[in-house]
Amino acid sequence: MPNKTPRYLAVEILTAIAKQNSYSNLALDQVINKNRLNPQDAGFLTQLVYGVIQHEYTLDYYLAPFIQKPKKMDNWVRQVLRTAVYQQVYLDRVPEHAIFYEATEIAKKMGHAGVAKLVTAILRQLQRSGLPDLKAIADPIERLSVQYSVPQWLVAKLQADLGDDKLESLLATINQPANASLRVNTRVNTVDAVLAELQPQFKDLQPSQIAKVGLVAQGGHLASGALFEAGDYTIQDESSMLVAPSLDIQPGDQVLDACAAPGGKTTHMATYLDAQQGGQITALDIHDHKVRLIEQNAKRLHVEDVVSAQALDARKVGEQFGEAHFDKILVDAPCSGLGLMRRKPEIKYSRQPADLLNLQRIQLAILEAVAPTLKVGGRLTYSTCTIVPEENQQVVAAFVANHPEFEIEPVPLELPLAQNQASPFVQIYPDDYQTDGFFIACLKRRA
């Protein structure tokens, strides 16, 4: 067996994620680049890592009857078993002999012959006995938790928030592979021209249903090639492309992006501005290295003339800028990220119920800090990539209750959103348009 096959690398990545709580997408990018994997191997590795994390509870339920001493099992051994069972259950066209052979070889290489024997024995027992039946789980919340691999507290909360039908639809969606989507940089190219240029390589690429500047494909590695390198487009989820239009930015506006890194929405807002007319975005992040990332993105996308990035805690905006300084403000707030469960599946395991209210306090503190810096008549957009009311509707309601000088306005849209049930806000769930979950609220300062 070659040293670094996709299955071997998958076990390494999964073990590291479990140990260090790192993000799967960042770990994958690092390993793919370091090992210079070809597109086919990179795709298989990505499928294995995401698939195992997405279905972790289900895989453990299937394995449980065959592991005699689960607490004594090393994490990497469990990852070998999960990776093998994931392939058996969820992937077509993978021969069982290949799954068994490589699981055994990985166990030998990472451990010793005794561990390899144990891995083989467990997989053989599972093969002979068949998969344990999920219907044997009597409690409905526990059954959904295992079936869709979501913590029980979160299943119960989503059921209370959304009802049974929406819950099942949402849970069935979050374990599907995420679409690949891009935002055309309208400063340098058109949607039609980029689509025509990329379609020979990405046959299923098509215009987004919800974002006028978006193109979407079922899969594929869009972050490469001459057009990407030249800044004709950038990678961005469709739902987040609704934020910049919501601010109704005019060419000469002074705009604050209070939580800007890595700069996807900053560079989108920048396409509406004109430096000759005085238009400017002040883009903030608390970390210096993320400020550099915003600057790099602005340069690649040819909008550096209207983007000024700096390191600053958004809660200190008032100390740096005077009152009524900005025409438009975006607070894309730190949040639980529960709308990203499909793209970053580890999020669903790491969040706890207390996080939602802790984050709510931070979100309100940021709104409180930036509010005085908005001009009378100015517009403030509050957005998150989460789907729970504690971080969305409840934050807006609490802020407006303390600030009668602000009023809620409908969110302007470039394309109709038939699935949005949250008007005057926008609340997109992952099962609505197969995108990330997202929330947008618009506020106007009237005094």
Side-chain angles (χ1 to χ4, degrees), residues 244-395:
S246 77
L247 279 156
D248 187 28
I249 294 172
Q250 301 303 309
D253 277 348
Q254 294 298 307
V255 182
L256 173 67
D257 189 349
C259 312
K265 299 176 196 70
T266 306
T267 52
H268 189 185
M269 290 189 288
T271 62
Y272 295 88
L273 293 173
D274 182 349
Q276 298 297 320
Q277 298 186 48
Q280 188 77 19
I281 291 182
T282 301
L284 307 181
D285 191 88
I286 198 167
H287 301 294
D288 286 324
H289 69 281
K290 291 189 176 180
V291 170
R292 288 194 290 277
L293 198 57
I294 298 168
E295 291 171 338
Q296 289 165 7
N297 277 324
K299 187 173 182 182
R300 185 176 71 80
L301 294 166
H302 312 287
V303 292
E304 69 269 35
D305 59 335
V306 292
V307 174
S308 173
Q310 66 179 86
L312 184 68
D313 187 329
R315 289 167 291 190
K316 297 181 179 178
V317 167
E319 300 171 14
Q320 182 90 15
F321 302 96
E323 288 205 4
H325 184 85
F326 297 103
D327 300 289
K328 309 285 164 59
I329 294 178
L330 170 62
V331 175
D332 187 50
C335 70
S336 62
L338 290 171
L340 308 178
M341 286 189 280
R342 181 159 57 176
R343 203 174 296 280
K344 296 177 181 175
E346 63 277 3
I347 280 178
K348 59 189 177 184
Y349 307 119
S350 63
R351 296 303 179 199
Q352 300 298 322
D355 294 341
L356 308 184
L357 292 179
N358 290 336
L359 285 159
Q360 185 187 82
R361 283 189 277 275
I362 294 170
Q363 292 150 356
L364 278 168
I366 293 172
L367 285 172
E368 290 285 342
V370 304
T373 67
L374 184 66
K375 294 177 182 175
V376 173
R379 178 181 287 271
L380 187 156
T381 287
Y382 173 79
S383 62
T384 72
C385 53
T386 190
I387 54 176
V388 293
E390 286 85 345
E391 301 179 74
N392 296 333
Q393 289 91 338
Q394 289 181 20
V395 170

Side-chain angles (χ1 to χ4, degrees), residues 92-144:
D92 298 328
R93 302 178 186 173
V94 181
E96 283 216 325
H97 65 82
I99 297 170
F100 276 68
Y101 170 76
E102 203 160 335
T104 305
E105 291 300 306
I106 292 169
K108 265 188 215 170
K109 195 168 184 64
M110 290 188 170
H112 49 72
V115 183
K117 219 169 158 182
L118 173 68
V119 165
T120 305
I122 291 172
L123 293 177
R124 291 291 179 203
Q125 287 178 53
L126 177 61
Q127 186 186 42
R128 283 194 296 271
S129 303
L131 297 174
D133 190 351
L134 292 165
K135 293 176 183 172
I137 305 173
D139 181 81
I141 295 294
E142 184 183 355
R143 185 171 63 253
L144 289 171

